[in-house]
Short mmCIF file of all heavy atoms in Angstrom, two decimals:
data_model
loop_
_atom_site.label_atom_id
_atom_site.label_comp_id
_atom_site.label_asym_id
_atom_site.label_seq_id
_atom_site.Cartn_x
_atom_site.Cartn_y
_atom_site.Cartn_z
N LEU A 13 90.84 106.98 98.11
CA LEU A 13 89.61 106.97 98.90
C LEU A 13 89.24 108.39 99.34
O LEU A 13 88.07 108.77 99.33
CB LEU A 13 89.74 106.07 100.11
CG LEU A 13 89.56 104.58 99.86
CD1 LEU A 13 89.97 103.78 101.10
CD2 LEU A 13 88.13 104.26 99.48
N VAL A 16 87.49 110.18 96.64
CA VAL A 16 86.09 109.75 96.54
C VAL A 16 85.26 110.42 97.63
O VAL A 16 84.13 110.86 97.39
CB VAL A 16 85.98 108.21 96.62
CG1 VAL A 16 84.53 107.77 96.75
CG2 VAL A 16 86.64 107.56 95.41
N MET A 17 85.82 110.52 98.84
CA MET A 17 85.09 111.18 99.93
C MET A 17 84.76 112.63 99.56
O MET A 17 83.68 113.12 99.87
CB MET A 17 85.90 111.16 101.23
CG MET A 17 86.24 109.81 101.78
SD MET A 17 84.78 108.82 102.08
CE MET A 17 85.50 107.22 102.18
N GLU A 18 85.71 113.30 98.92
CA GLU A 18 85.47 114.68 98.49
C GLU A 18 84.37 114.73 97.43
O GLU A 18 83.50 115.60 97.48
CB GLU A 18 86.76 115.31 97.95
CG GLU A 18 87.76 115.67 99.02
CD GLU A 18 87.22 116.69 100.02
OE1 GLU A 18 86.55 117.67 99.61
OE2 GLU A 18 87.46 116.52 101.22
N GLU A 19 84.40 113.81 96.48
CA GLU A 19 83.38 113.77 95.44
C GLU A 19 81.99 113.55 96.03
O GLU A 19 81.01 114.11 95.55
CB GLU A 19 83.67 112.64 94.45
CG GLU A 19 84.88 112.86 93.59
CD GLU A 19 85.24 111.62 92.77
OE1 GLU A 19 84.45 110.65 92.73
OE2 GLU A 19 86.33 111.62 92.19
N ARG A 20 81.92 112.74 97.07
CA ARG A 20 80.63 112.41 97.67
C ARG A 20 80.00 113.59 98.40
O ARG A 20 78.81 113.58 98.69
CB ARG A 20 80.76 111.23 98.64
CG ARG A 20 81.16 109.93 98.00
CD ARG A 20 80.14 109.45 96.99
NE ARG A 20 80.37 108.10 96.55
CZ ARG A 20 81.05 107.74 95.47
NH1 ARG A 20 81.58 108.65 94.68
NH2 ARG A 20 81.20 106.47 95.14
N LYS A 21 80.78 114.62 98.68
CA LYS A 21 80.21 115.81 99.33
C LYS A 21 79.13 116.44 98.46
O LYS A 21 78.22 117.07 98.98
CB LYS A 21 81.32 116.83 99.64
CG LYS A 21 82.20 116.43 100.80
CD LYS A 21 83.25 117.49 101.07
CE LYS A 21 84.08 117.13 102.28
NZ LYS A 21 85.10 118.15 102.55
N ALA A 23 77.35 114.61 96.21
CA ALA A 23 76.49 113.53 95.71
C ALA A 23 75.11 113.59 96.35
O ALA A 23 74.90 114.21 97.40
CB ALA A 23 77.13 112.17 95.98
N ASP A 24 74.19 112.93 95.71
CA ASP A 24 72.82 112.82 96.21
C ASP A 24 72.79 111.83 97.38
O ASP A 24 73.17 110.67 97.21
CB ASP A 24 71.93 112.32 95.07
CG ASP A 24 70.47 112.19 95.45
OD1 ASP A 24 70.14 112.24 96.66
OD2 ASP A 24 69.66 112.03 94.53
N PRO A 25 72.35 112.28 98.56
CA PRO A 25 72.30 111.38 99.72
C PRO A 25 71.44 110.13 99.51
O PRO A 25 71.65 109.13 100.18
CB PRO A 25 71.74 112.26 100.84
CG PRO A 25 72.05 113.65 100.42
CD PRO A 25 71.98 113.65 98.91
N HIS A 27 71.61 108.33 96.94
CA HIS A 27 72.38 107.40 96.11
C HIS A 27 73.77 107.10 96.67
O HIS A 27 74.51 106.33 96.06
CB HIS A 27 72.54 107.96 94.70
CG HIS A 27 71.25 108.12 93.96
ND1 HIS A 27 70.15 107.33 94.16
CD2 HIS A 27 70.88 109.01 93.01
CE1 HIS A 27 69.17 107.70 93.36
NE2 HIS A 27 69.58 108.73 92.66
N SER A 28 74.13 107.71 97.78
CA SER A 28 75.48 107.53 98.32
C SER A 28 75.44 107.47 99.84
O SER A 28 74.94 108.39 100.50
CB SER A 28 76.39 108.70 97.88
OG SER A 28 77.57 108.72 98.64
N TYR A 29 75.98 106.39 100.38
CA TYR A 29 76.06 106.23 101.82
C TYR A 29 76.88 107.37 102.44
O TYR A 29 76.49 107.95 103.47
CB TYR A 29 76.69 104.87 102.15
CG TYR A 29 77.02 104.69 103.60
CD1 TYR A 29 76.02 104.50 104.55
CD2 TYR A 29 78.34 104.73 104.04
CE1 TYR A 29 76.32 104.34 105.89
CE2 TYR A 29 78.65 104.57 105.39
CZ TYR A 29 77.64 104.38 106.30
OH TYR A 29 77.94 104.23 107.63
N VAL A 30 78.00 107.70 101.83
CA VAL A 30 78.86 108.76 102.37
C VAL A 30 78.15 110.10 102.30
O VAL A 30 78.18 110.88 103.27
CB VAL A 30 80.22 108.79 101.64
CG1 VAL A 30 81.05 109.99 102.07
CG2 VAL A 30 80.99 107.50 101.90
N ALA A 31 77.49 110.38 101.19
CA ALA A 31 76.74 111.64 101.07
C ALA A 31 75.64 111.71 102.14
O ALA A 31 75.37 112.78 102.69
CB ALA A 31 76.14 111.76 99.67
N LYS A 32 75.04 110.56 102.43
CA LYS A 32 74.00 110.51 103.47
C LYS A 32 74.60 110.85 104.84
O LYS A 32 74.01 111.60 105.63
CB LYS A 32 73.34 109.14 103.51
CG LYS A 32 72.15 109.05 104.45
CD LYS A 32 71.55 107.67 104.49
CE LYS A 32 70.90 107.36 103.17
NZ LYS A 32 70.13 106.10 103.19
N LEU A 33 75.80 110.33 105.12
CA LEU A 33 76.47 110.67 106.38
C LEU A 33 76.76 112.16 106.45
O LEU A 33 76.53 112.80 107.47
CB LEU A 33 77.76 109.87 106.54
CG LEU A 33 77.65 108.44 107.02
CD1 LEU A 33 79.01 107.77 107.02
CD2 LEU A 33 77.03 108.38 108.42
N TYR A 34 77.29 112.71 105.35
CA TYR A 34 77.57 114.15 105.33
C TYR A 34 76.30 114.96 105.58
O TYR A 34 76.32 115.93 106.32
CB TYR A 34 78.16 114.58 103.98
CG TYR A 34 79.59 114.13 103.73
CD1 TYR A 34 79.98 113.75 102.45
CD2 TYR A 34 80.54 114.12 104.73
CE1 TYR A 34 81.28 113.36 102.19
CE2 TYR A 34 81.84 113.72 104.49
CZ TYR A 34 82.20 113.35 103.21
OH TYR A 34 83.49 112.97 102.95
N ALA A 35 75.21 114.53 104.96
CA ALA A 35 73.94 115.26 105.11
C ALA A 35 73.45 115.22 106.55
O ALA A 35 72.83 116.17 107.02
CB ALA A 35 72.89 114.68 104.16
N LYS A 36 73.72 114.13 107.24
CA LYS A 36 73.29 114.01 108.64
C LYS A 36 74.15 114.84 109.58
O LYS A 36 73.75 115.15 110.70
CB LYS A 36 73.31 112.55 109.08
CG LYS A 36 72.23 111.72 108.44
CD LYS A 36 72.28 110.29 108.93
CE LYS A 36 71.18 109.45 108.34
NZ LYS A 36 71.24 108.06 108.82
N ILE A 41 78.41 111.29 111.91
CA ILE A 41 79.72 110.75 111.51
C ILE A 41 80.49 110.29 112.75
O ILE A 41 81.06 109.20 112.77
CB ILE A 41 80.52 111.79 110.71
CG1 ILE A 41 79.79 112.09 109.39
CG2 ILE A 41 81.94 111.30 110.45
CD1 ILE A 41 80.32 113.30 108.65
N PHE A 73 87.66 103.56 107.05
CA PHE A 73 86.75 104.17 106.09
C PHE A 73 85.99 105.33 106.74
O PHE A 73 85.95 106.44 106.21
CB PHE A 73 85.77 103.12 105.54
CG PHE A 73 84.77 103.68 104.59
CD1 PHE A 73 85.06 103.79 103.25
CD2 PHE A 73 83.51 104.09 105.04
CE1 PHE A 73 84.12 104.31 102.35
CE2 PHE A 73 82.57 104.61 104.16
CZ PHE A 73 82.88 104.72 102.82
N HIS A 74 85.39 105.06 107.87
CA HIS A 74 84.59 106.10 108.53
C HIS A 74 85.47 107.24 109.07
O HIS A 74 85.03 108.39 109.14
CB HIS A 74 83.70 105.49 109.61
CG HIS A 74 82.57 104.72 109.02
ND1 HIS A 74 82.66 103.38 108.72
CD2 HIS A 74 81.33 105.12 108.62
CE1 HIS A 74 81.52 102.98 108.18
NE2 HIS A 74 80.70 104.01 108.10
N LEU A 76 88.09 108.29 107.44
CA LEU A 76 88.31 109.09 106.24
C LEU A 76 87.12 110.01 105.97
O LEU A 76 87.29 111.16 105.55
CB LEU A 76 88.58 108.21 105.03
CG LEU A 76 89.94 107.54 104.98
CD1 LEU A 76 89.99 106.52 103.84
CD2 LEU A 76 91.05 108.55 104.83
N VAL A 77 85.91 109.51 106.22
CA VAL A 77 84.72 110.35 106.08
C VAL A 77 84.82 111.53 107.05
O VAL A 77 84.58 112.68 106.67
CB VAL A 77 83.43 109.54 106.33
CG1 VAL A 77 82.20 110.46 106.36
CG2 VAL A 77 83.25 108.45 105.28
N LEU A 78 85.18 111.24 108.29
CA LEU A 78 85.32 112.29 109.30
C LEU A 78 86.38 113.32 108.89
O LEU A 78 86.13 114.53 108.97
CB LEU A 78 85.68 111.68 110.66
CG LEU A 78 86.04 112.66 111.78
CD1 LEU A 78 84.87 113.59 112.09
CD2 LEU A 78 86.49 111.90 113.01
N ALA A 80 87.47 114.09 105.91
CA ALA A 80 86.98 114.89 104.78
C ALA A 80 85.93 115.90 105.24
O ALA A 80 85.95 117.06 104.80
CB ALA A 80 86.41 113.97 103.70
#
Side-chain angles (χ1 to χ4, degrees):
L13 280 170
V16 171
M17 299 303 162
E18 286 299 318
E19 291 172 10
R20 295 298 191 265
K21 286 181 176 180
D24 181 347
H27 297 330
S28 165
Y29 171 73
V30 173
K32 186 182 291 188
L33 280 176
Y34 288 143
K36 289 181 178 180
I41 296 168
F73 178 87
H74 288 90
L76 287 171
V77 173
L78 173 61

